[in-house]
Amino acid sequence: MRILTVVYTLIALALLLSFPEPASAHLVSTRFGELYSGLIHPLTALQHLVPWLGLGLLGGLLGNRTSRWVLLTFPLSAGAGALLAGGLPATAAIDHVNLFSFIVLGLLVALSVRLNRPTFLGLTVIFGLSHGFANGTPDLSGVPLLLYAVGVLLAAYVLIAIATAVTQLVSQRAAWGTIAIRAAGSWIVAIGLVFGGYSLTAGV
Amino acid sequence: MKPAAWIPAWIPAIAVAALAWAAPAAAHDTPIALLTLKETQPGTFVERWTYSSSLNIAAPTPVYPEHCVAEAPRVVCGELGLTGDFSFEKLGERYSAAVVRLMPLEGPKRSYTFTAAQPVITLTASGILPLSHIVAAYIPLGFEHIMLGIDHLLFVLGLMLLVSSPWMLVKTITAFTIAHSITLGLATFGVIGVPEGAVNALIALSIVILAVEVLKLRRGRAGWSATYPWVVAFGFGLLHGLGFASALTGIGLSQANLPAALLFFNIGVELGQLAFVAVVLAVAWSHRQLRAELPRWTETVAVYGTGTLATVWFYDRFGAIVAPLVT
């Protein structure tokens, strides 16, 4: 926990220091500001929302010692991915990785695979970066992009925290819990296959 | 009374403090562009823009009904008058809302509010607005106002840290809601009027006071504010209601639309407030469930940070009031 404390404090410090006063205009001069745009975008897009829920389900099945690290790795990776998107050209490979995340995460949940911590955290970083990148936009640069990326980070943090905790509660307290969660995993695979098929035939 | 450990302060405070740092002293500015259309001859109008945004950014572009010919500042609509579909381009990107105040040669003045959720309004000769328009325009406006109002959110967060049980939280948030609804209504109907600058400065001060009370509570010195947090919520809620009113009073709504607009604006504010409270509670619960909690000193730092930020806002806003008097 001490490590988490230090890292969280550093995050808070970094966030505070990364918002110089001139950046403030962007938050109030736009409708919800870039921060709110970043916050809302992944939560209103099926291609992000479903795999993120899948990651939360997987984390919740793995127990406290592993799952709580996802609160750190996934949001930071998603935020970093959104920042990278501002400086790098868009590539179809990212969309393919995101489609792949449906299948991988859904299967891992459906089969209730007990991943070890490094593998699980590795997946959270890879998919965090890819989904964050897909959420990013090259139209923003400088501080607005940073605000947008922080919004993506916050969305990832809130969604993963709640999904992981709810999954853990359900799997521990209800006899049918794990079965229901594994069934949800199979649904994520099915959604991924439908969505992937549609996207690939549409020329993603 | 034990400190309010059931909501770890650092969870929401880190996020909100980051947001708060990003927002300027005039944090709860809801930028609204006002377009006045005065009929000078039958079917001919003259445009006049007023920007109520403190940032004074360029106005959104109006899209008049097809039969109207716009050559700024004149708009010629002919015999049909200003009727039909009226909209604004890219509304929501720079301005929260645009208000069209129509001053016909005959008949009462009318106001129409456009938002990103309600970008097109079909104007009629009678000027009567359907209830659906008011609902679609003012609920998002109220929701947006509190979401952009980081200082309001910080105050609600402070209240959450002050209470020691879910039931007390319900009572406290209810007291805040009732109080700000009272002053929001009184200010919108023009019964009371308070200078916006002074209200904003006092709102910042209310956060400072609340942060001090939270710190005292966490040191085991529970004062009357921790024992009766709903009294604090009600008292300062009256003040925050005046702040909410600033978004409505600048619009210049017609008396006919005012009651419904006020009602749905307030509903939007409440929905935003409840959404914020729900997210904070959900995240706090998640951390407890996952046993991902931090030492107490991090919580203290978060509360100090929030109080410091609000103090800076207070001096900034107070300075904005005093500066013109001194120079």
Side-chain angles (χ1 to χ4, degrees), chain B residues 55-103:
Chain B
L55 301 167
N56 212 25
I57 45 184
T61 309
V63 180
Y64 290 98
E66 281 185 2
H67 63 274
C68 295
V69 178
E71 291 177 358
R74 268 162 47 96
V75 182
V76 180
C77 295
E79 290 181 358
L80 290 174
L82 194 54
T83 57
D85 288 349
F86 193 126
S87 63
F88 283 88
E89 286 180 357
K90 296 183 178 177
L91 191 60
E93 291 187 11
R94 289 181 172 179
Y95 279 86
S96 301
V99 175
V100 173
R101 187 185 293 168
L102 191 57
M103 301 171 68

Side-chain angles (χ1 to χ4, degrees), chain A residues 10 55 94 99 158 160 199-200:
Chain A
L10 288 174
L55 192 62
I94 291 293
L99 285 176
V158 170
I160 281 297
S199 299
L200 291 172

Side-chain angles (χ1 to χ4, degrees), chain A residues 1 19 24 29-31 36 157, chain B residues 21-22 92 94 147 287 293:
Chain A
M1 285 304 291
F19 291 112
S24 59
S29 64
T30 57
R31 183 165 172 261
Y36 283 92
Y157 167 69
Chain B
W21 195 266
R94 289 181 172 179
M147 285 302 177
H287 273 262
E293 292 174 283

Side-chain angles (χ1 to χ4, degrees), chain B residues 35-49 62 64-65 67-78 82 86:
Chain B
L35 171 62
T36 304
L37 290 169
K38 186 175 182 181
E39 194 172 23
T40 52
Q41 301 170 36
T44 301
F45 299 83
V46 174
E47 290 179 337
R48 184 166 61 84
W49 281 101
Y64 290 98
H67 63 274
C68 295
V69 178
E71 291 177 358
R74 268 162 47 96
V75 182
V76 180
C77 295
L82 194 54
F86 193 126

Side-chain angles (χ1 to χ4, degrees), chain A:
Chain A
M1 285 304 291
R2 294 288 173 190
I3 295 171
L4 269 179
T5 300
V6 172
V7 176
Y8 267 114
T9 308
L10 288 174
I11 294 168
L13 197 64
L15 287 175
L16 289 170
L17 294 177
S18 62
F19 291 112
E21 191 65 20
S24 59
H26 295 284
L27 188 62
V28 292
S29 64
T30 57
R31 183 165 172 261
F32 270 162
E34 280 81 8
L35 189 139
Y36 283 92
S37 298
L39 189 63
I40 290 167
H41 188 262
L43 300 180
T44 52
L46 188 72
Q47 64 267 36
H48 302 301
L49 187 63
V50 175
W52 290 20
L53 286 174
L55 192 62
L57 294 177
L58 183 63
L61 289 173
L62 295 178
N64 269 340
R65 290 175 63 86
T66 299
S67 62
R68 63 183 169 214
W69 282 95
V70 76
L71 303 183
L72 193 63
T73 54
F74 185 68
L76 281 179
S77 305
L83 274 179
L84 287 173
L88 297 174
T91 166
I94 291 293
D95 293 323
H96 294 151
V97 172
N98 289 342
L99 285 176
F100 191 58
S101 71
F102 274 88
I103 312 298
V104 171
L105 294 170
L107 278 175
L108 288 172
V109 172
L111 300 172
S112 191
V113 176
R114 308 291 295 180
L115 291 178
N116 59 33
R117 190 187 299 172
T119 309
F120 174 66
L121 295 182
L123 275 181
T124 64
V125 171
I126 291 168
F127 291 143
L129 285 170
S130 67
H131 280 273
F133 193 96
N135 269 289
T137 167
D139 295 338
L140 297 170
S141 60
V143 174
L145 176 63
L146 186 61
L147 283 171
Y148 182 91
V150 171
V152 174
L153 184 153
L154 285 175
Y157 167 69
V158 170
L159 188 85
I160 281 297
I162 295 172
T164 306
V166 169
T167 303
Q168 193 181 85
L169 181 76
V170 170
S171 65
Q172 287 174 350
R173 294 201 181 172
W176 48 265
T178 306
I179 297 169
I181 291 161
R182 293 179 65 175
S186 67
W187 275 92
I188 291 172
V189 176
I191 293 169
L193 288 172
V194 172
F195 186 75
Y198 175 78
S199 299
L200 291 172
T201 53
V204 171

